[in-house]
Structure formats: C-alpha cells, structure tokens
Amino acid sequence: MKRYFNILVLMLVAVCGTTMMTGCSDDEWGNDNPEYKNVFIVAFADWGPKSNNDKTYTVNQGSQVTVPVQLWCEGTRGFNADAYVYVDSSLKLGTDYQIVDGNGAVLQQNANGAFVLTWDLISPDYTDNHRVQNLQVKALNGAKGNVTLMTFDPKDVDEAGKLRISNGGTKDDDTQYYVPNNKTDQYEVRCLTVNYKVVISIK
C-alpha cells in the first residue's frame, strides 16, 4: 500500500507540472494547505500489472469477485464523503450481475447512474491514509461478458469519445490528469486518468 501511495504522490507532482493547476506540489497537497485539505483521491486498490487501467478479474457464473476501492485521506474530518463508481457494460444489471457492498447489501444506481460509496472520515484512520472498501460483482447465471467498473462517468466524453478532464479540455495524450468524481460544499473527490477502471470478465 505504501508503494501505491508513493506512486500517487509522484503522479500528483507530474500533474502539477503539466496541467493548469498552478502552484501545486506534493507538500501543498497535504493537510497543511487549506486549498487541498478536503480534496481526496479515489482509485481502485489493485493497480494491475502495468498500473494503467489494465486490471482484469475473472468470475464464473454463480460466483462473485471482490474489488477493493480506496480513498486517500490523511487524518479525520467532521464529515463523511461520498465517492462514485460507475459501470460500463452491455450486460443487464440485476439480471446478469449485481454490485454488492462489503456488508453484502445489493447496491442500486442513483439518478446519475452511479453506485455511491460512503467513506467514514470521522473515525480515526488506521490504514496509512488508504481507506479501503470492498465492492463485489456477482455473476447471476445470466449472459457472459464484461462489466467495467470506473471512477469517472463513462458518458463524460466529448463527441470524439475523449475523456473530459478537470481543466475543461479533453484527454488527448499520455499525461495524467485529474478527473472530478464528486464535489460538495465541504469536499471534493477526484480520480486520475490512470487506474480509473477495472474489468470483470464473467465466464
């Protein structure tokens, strides 16, 4: 986990040097800077073989697979935070597969098509700033195919299918960018254009 955090810090530094987010450094991202104190990063815990959106899980019909999701947040806050996970699939939710939380409860999509994960930021954090929740994908003995979990809305692309990014443009190169996930008056959750998806292959 520590290695993943170090990788994230390096990516954040790279982003600060290549995007429109001015005056940012890894030191400024911490709790000492009010601008970033309540800005959190959500990502899948397993970064895959190349740490570039290439993690694939396989699950057989009638079985389920666990997909850990983590939120980077140092210390505690006076509020909890919601992060969104989206699904991109031609399979039918509730017929071919289900999304289940770590307590075994079946999750439903909200009005925007997202599954909501609520992160406890009030309780002390004993996980080295990586608060982890487990999602489970259940194969319901329906059709075979892929279910892609994503930390950004798969519909948030331009006419050419390019991912919209936080500076208002679109991703058209290999540079890592911040992508908004959820924003409220109290906090903002962001994801990155690396490690934003995993693929579950239902056999």
Side-chain angles (χ1 to χ4, degrees), residues 49-156:
K50 298 181 180 179
S51 299
N52 191 23
N53 304 309
D54 56 353
K55 178 62 182 178
T56 299
Y57 297 85
T58 300
V59 59
N60 294 322
Q61 296 290 352
S63 299
Q64 62 190 39
V65 63
T66 299
V67 181
V69 185
Q70 60 189 5
L71 188 82
W72 278 272
C73 173
E74 182 179 353
T76 60
R77 304 293 189 275
F79 53 83
N80 293 329
D82 289 340
Y84 299 143
V85 173
Y86 297 87
V87 170
D88 188 19
S89 179
S90 61
L91 300 181
K92 188 174 180 181
L93 179 66
T95 299
D96 300 319
Y97 69 96
Q98 287 178 326
I99 306 296
V100 179
D101 70 13
N103 297 318
V106 176
L107 298 179
Q108 302 296 328
Q109 292 170 302
N110 66 11
N112 295 320
F115 296 92
V116 182
L117 297 180
T118 299
W119 300 89
D120 178 7
L121 304 185
I122 299 173
S123 301
D125 179 15
Y126 301 105
T127 58
D128 193 26
N129 302 327
H130 303 82
R131 299 169 186 258
V132 178
Q133 292 191 46
N134 288 325
L135 284 181
Q136 295 176 340
V137 179
K138 282 187 174 183
L140 299 178
N141 295 306
K144 298 179 181 180
N146 290 340
V147 175
T148 302
L149 299 182
M150 311 174 78
T151 55
F152 76 92
D153 189 340
K155 299 185 295 296
D156 193 17

